[in-house]
DNA sequence: CTATCATTCAACCATATGGTTGAATATAGT
DNA sequence: ACTATATTCAACCATATGGTTGAATGATAG
C-alpha cells in the first residue's frame, strides 16, 4: 500500500536534529575532521561521532581517512532526493499559493 | 553555539516516516478526513490519528472540523522553510556539483 | 432518545534514540 | 619506545517514539 523508502526515512531523520544540521552547514563550507567538528558543541566527542555516523548512514556526508583523522565532507546527491520529495508535495498547491501571494501583495 | 530551531526539528522529524509522507502526498492532492486517510494502512485508526497529530504539530497540515469529521489539508508555507533549509546546504556545493555534472556529460 | 460513526484520550508496551563513560585501537611526533 | 591525539567500540541509562487496546466524548441519522 505505502511506498516505503528507507532512504528518505534516514535522510529526514538525520535532518531532524539541530546539531546534525549545524554539522552539515559547517561541512558544506569546508571539509573538517570529526574532532574539529566536535569542539563547538557542549557534547562529548563520542556523541558527535555518533551524529556524524547518522549523517553518514543517510549518505548526507562521507568520511575518508587522512592519517589518524577522519575527514568529513558533504555528499550533494542525497539532498537532491530530499528536495525532489518536498517538490512532490509542492507541485499541486504551489500554483494556488503563488496566486494567494500575489493577491496579498497587490492588496 | 548551535542555532536551535525546534520548528525544523519537528518538520524534518515528521517527514522521516513513510506513512506520514504518504499521508502528506494524498492530502496534497485533496482534503481528506482522518478516517478516510486511515483506511489504506495496516495500522489502527488511533495510530493514524497520532501520525496526523505529528504532522499538525509540525504545521505541515491543518485540521478543520466539518460536522463530526476533521478535514485535513496541507499547509504550504512550512514546506518553504524546509526547502530554504536544504537550500542553505546546497548553495556552496551546488556550483561545484553542476560543474562536475557538465564535465561528466561532455566527456 | 438512541444507535452509530468519527474522533480523542489514557494507559500501556517494545524498541529506538541521544546521551554518557571507559576501554581498545591506530597513527604521529619526540 | 613512549606519549599524545583521533577515532572506534561497548555497555549502560533516560527519554522519546510508534504502536496497541479500551473507554469517553461529539455529532448525525433514524
Amino acid at each position: 500500500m505505502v511506498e516505503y523508502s528507507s532512504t528518505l526515512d534516514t535522510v529526514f531523520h538525520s535532518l531532524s536534529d539541530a546539531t546534525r544540521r549545524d554539522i552539515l552547514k559547517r561541512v558544506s563550507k569546508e571539509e573538517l575532521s570529526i574532532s574539529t567538528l566536535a569542539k563547538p558543541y557542549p557534547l562529548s566527542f563520542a556523541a558527535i561521532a555518533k551524529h556524524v555516523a547518522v549523517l553518514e548512514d543517510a549518505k548526507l556526508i562521507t568520511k575518508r581517512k587522512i592519517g589518524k583523522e577522519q575527514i568529513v565532507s558533504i555528499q550533494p546527491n542525497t539532498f537532491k532526493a530530499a528536495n525532489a520529495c518536498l517538490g512532490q508535495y509542492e507541485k499541486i498547491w504551489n500554483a494556488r499559493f503563488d496566486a494567494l501571494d500575489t493577491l496579498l501583495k497587490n492588496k
Side-chain angles (χ1 to χ4, degrees), chain A:
Chain A
M1 331 252 167
V2 187
E3 182 191 289
Y4 284 104
S5 162
S6 61
T7 309
L8 280 178
D9 281 14
T10 54
V11 168
F12 284 125
H13 172 250
S14 299
L15 292 168
S16 74
D17 180 281
T19 303
R20 285 196 289 262
R21 288 197 304 276
D22 197 68
I23 290 174
L24 276 182
K25 200 197 290 182
R26 292 172 63 205
V27 164
S28 75
K29 287 169 197 153
E30 53 175 337
E31 300 184 324
L32 295 167
S33 70
I34 302 183
S35 51
T36 309
L37 278 172
K39 276 167 198 152
Y41 311 104
L43 297 173
S44 68
F45 175 87
I48 301 301
K50 275 193 187 181
H51 280 306
V52 169
V54 170
L55 291 168
E56 193 184 16
D57 263 20
K59 301 196 196 308
L60 287 165
I61 59 163
T62 44
K63 294 194 296 189
R64 64 175 199 284
K65 195 159 192 167
I66 294 193
K68 61 183 167 186
E69 293 181 336
Q70 286 283 7
I71 302 298
V72 177
S73 48
I74 204 154
Q75 197 159 11
N77 312 43
T78 311
F79 289 90
K80 305 219 173 244
N83 251 324
C85 174
L86 291 185
Q88 203 179 20
Y89 309 124
E90 281 183 272
K91 62 186 170 208
I92 282 96
W93 45 258
N94 226 5
R96 237 194 316 161
F97 183 74
D98 287 351
L100 178 66
D101 200 51
T102 333
L103 201 71
L104 290 170
K105 275 181 189 150
N106 296 347
K107 207 175 61 167

